[in-house]
Amino acid sequence: MSAAPGHRARLTGGLLAWYGVLGGAVAWAVHLFVGWGVDELTCAAGIDRVAGLPPRAVIGLAVVVPALVTVGALLAAVLTWRRTALPRHADDDPPYARARLLALVGIFGNLLFLAIIVLGGIAVLVLPSCR
């Protein structure tokens, strides 16, 4: 018989689960605002540097960093999904079933957001700006 997890373990597991569900969506929002925002604002202002870096480097960072955050969220969702597998003796345990469903939504959502971030980054970096 195992001991019940402590408050700190439950809090950490809950935060990890929510990161697995929402991490990709938040990363995509950051990518959207920073990547496309830098592209549009540098064209409108006619500048060739953003914080001392060329706009392509800033846009590249706005693709790579959110993509890494999304991969981390995907791994957190997979970990949550694996850890919420129902024990053999508990057929009807709603909290675990809900957590497992949210983890599954997080897995597919993060895969989708990763594809959106990568393809959006390709579009920003390949298509000519200021046209």
Side-chain angles (χ1 to χ4, degrees):
M1 181 169 192
S2 65
H7 171 69
R8 194 166 180 185
R10 284 193 310 266
L11 177 64
T12 304
L15 292 176
L16 184 69
W18 281 113
Y19 170 59
V21 173
L22 298 174
V26 172
W28 171 68
V30 168
H31 157 74
L32 189 66
F33 285 117
V34 175
W36 289 99
V38 166
D39 187 49
E40 292 295 322
L41 292 175
T42 55
C43 288
I47 57 175
D48 61 348
R49 294 271 182 207
V50 176
L53 296 171
R56 293 263 186 221
V58 175
I59 294 170
L61 284 173
V63 172
V64 171
V65 173
L68 291 176
V69 169
T70 304
V71 168
L74 177 62
L75 293 175
V78 168
L79 180 67
T80 302
W81 184 74
R82 290 186 64 189
R83 293 220 172 153
T84 55
L86 291 175
R88 295 182 198 272
H89 57 81
D91 292 331
D92 190 22
D93 194 358
Y96 278 104
R98 282 191 298 266
R100 192 163 173 88
L101 177 65
L102 280 175
L104 192 62
V105 168
I107 290 169
F108 288 113
N110 287 322
L111 286 172
L112 177 67
F113 285 121
L114 183 61
I116 291 170
I117 290 169
V118 170
L119 294 175
I122 290 171
V124 172
L125 291 172
V126 170
L127 295 175
S129 58
C130 301
R131 299 228 172 165

